[in-house]
Each structure stands twice: as C-alpha cells, then as structure tokens.
Amino acid sequence: MSLIFYAHPLSTYCAKVRIILKLKTIDFVEQLPLGGSYHSNAYHKLIAAGSVPAIQDGSFVLHDSDAIAEYLEDCYPLPALRASDPQQRAYHRSVARYHDTRLEPALRALFGFIGDTDANRAHAAVSVLTDCFSRLANLVNPAPYLWAEQLCLTDCAYPTTLFMAQDVSAALGKPIELPTKLQVWQSALYEDQTIKQVVDDNRAAVAAWIDSKQKSKIT
C-alpha cells in the first residue's frame, strides 16, 4: 500500500518532504488534505494538528516536516540523508530549525504585501528576510552541500525557500540578492534533477498564486 502524502503545492515544508520522498524513491500518492483544505473538519479528524505536510503510512499518521523527514530516514535508510556522526547530525538539525523558526516565517511575512499598490510597505519585512539570509550565510559552509558531497535532510529544506524568496521579493519590486555563498549552494542544489523538478513545480505554483493575488487587488 502506497504511503499517502498530504500536501499543498505552495508550501516549502511540503516541498522538503516531497524532495525526500523522491530522492529515496518511496512509493507514495500525493493529495490535497481531505475536504480540499487543511482547515476542513474531515482533515482535522485524521490529522489533529491540522497542518501540512502530513503522511499516512497504513494506520500511522504523522505531521510536521522534520518529524516526517526523520521517520522516512529511519524507515527508508537508503540513500542515507542523515549523518552518522552525532555532532554533524546535531548541526544539520540546528540549520533545519533555523529554516523553520526564522527563515520561513520571515519569507511568509511578505505574502500579505503581494498586490499592494504601495510597495514601500514591504520594506521592513524585506529587510528582516535579508538579514535572515545574511545570518544563514554565517551558519553554513556548503561544499557543495551541507554534508560535503552528499545531500542531507537539511539540504532538502532550502531549495524552494531560496527561490521563493527571490520570486516573491521580485514581485514586490524589492528583489533580494542572496549572499554569494548561498547562491553557490542554491545552484548546486538545483543541479540535482530530483530537486530541480520539485523547485520548478513549486515556482510555477508560486507564480500562478502571485498573478492571481495581483489581479485580485487590481479588480
């Protein structure tokens, strides 16, 4: 029986899990939350947290992208995406938490400004996100990935976020230029064909969402 992956096409958290599933060639079926939304009662009955991503593996259900990533690594250990050294593994987890607790929330804060006729209102939020990227550049030393020549779970969290930050900030007329180190990392990640496919699909969904938001504000 295929694993069921509940996801939303815009979510960077879902993209992370999607990349891991594909890198590990796990048999899965992706679908929107039951009832068409993670706000629906039907979905909440299955996933009490009411969030995406989530998975259903037989009778077992699990939410939270980090928890899912660790579960998939435990159940499908090849190819390995988690370091065996405890210090390296802890470092990778700290960088993953930085994404989830600092970077992604700063990116999401820009969403409400899409379609705003006064682009200057987004200035402070863009500055916060820019600062988050500067701090990230001081946290990581990809060579070319965080686990040297081998992709790790934490690498999988960042590709769509890096591109989304560029696309959303550009749509606001305030394009963010990533620090050089992050640009090199972004390019290395994008060269992986599995990651490229997920990134391209996510960027297409983001572009369509931006277009719809801008048109709705005009009308």
Side-chain angles (χ1 to χ4, degrees):
M1 181 177 180
S2 298
L3 179 149
I4 300 174
F5 172 44
Y6 296 103
H8 190 283
L10 291 176
S11 168
T12 59
Y13 296 122
C14 293
K16 169 187 173 179
V17 173
R18 192 177 295 114
I19 289 170
I20 294 168
L21 286 165
K22 289 178 177 289
L23 286 173
K24 290 182 173 292
T25 62
I26 297 170
D27 184 24
F28 73 97
V29 175
E30 180 172 339
Q31 63 184 57
L32 291 171
L34 301 176
S37 168
Y38 53 81
H39 298 299
S40 73
N41 290 332
Y43 187 63
H44 288 184
K45 287 180 180 179
L46 178 66
I47 307 296
S51 60
V52 290
I55 60 169
Q56 183 175 1
D57 191 4
S59 61
F60 177 67
V61 295
L62 185 66
H63 77 281
D64 184 83
S65 63
D66 275 352
I68 294 169
E70 295 285 348
Y71 173 77
L72 295 176
E73 184 68 17
D74 288 338
C75 294
Y76 305 90
L78 297 177
L81 296 175
R82 184 172 58 199
S84 57
D85 177 77
Q87 291 185 351
Q88 191 170 40
R89 190 166 62 242
Y91 164 68
H92 289 164
R93 285 172 174 159
S94 74
V95 178
R97 295 308 299 155
Y98 182 84
H99 173 277
D100 293 356
T101 63
R102 299 290 297 279
L103 186 61
E104 195 280 341
L107 169 57
R108 192 162 9 103
L110 301 186
F111 291 0
F113 297 105
I114 294 293
D116 196 319
T117 54
D118 185 359
N120 288 325
R121 292 178 183 171
H123 178 76
V126 172
S127 295
V128 170
L129 181 57
T130 301
D131 181 66
C132 285
F133 280 123
S134 296
R135 292 177 184 273
L136 177 62
N138 291 328
L139 282 173
V140 300
N141 286 292
Y145 310 125
L146 295 179
W147 194 10
E149 296 291 331
Q150 191 167 347
L151 286 164
C152 70
L153 295 174
T154 302
D155 282 304
C156 299
Y158 279 90
T160 54
T161 301
L162 295 173
F163 280 100
M164 189 184 294
Q166 292 172 314
D167 293 342
V168 172
S169 63
L172 293 172
K174 296 182 177 297
I176 287 176
E177 183 175 355
L178 298 175
T180 301
K181 185 191 296 185
L182 300 187
Q183 291 182 35
V184 174
W185 184 28
Q186 179 186 38
S187 296
L189 292 169
Y190 192 65
E191 287 177 3
D192 182 275
Q193 291 304 302
T194 297
I195 291 176
K196 181 180 185 300
Q197 177 190 354
V198 174
V199 167
D200 288 348
D201 290 345
N202 180 261
R203 293 186 80 186
V206 170
W209 174 77
I210 289 173
D211 184 62
S212 68
K213 292 284 286 184
Q214 290 174 332
K215 287 179 178 177
S216 67
K217 290 292 179 70
I218 292 173
T219 56

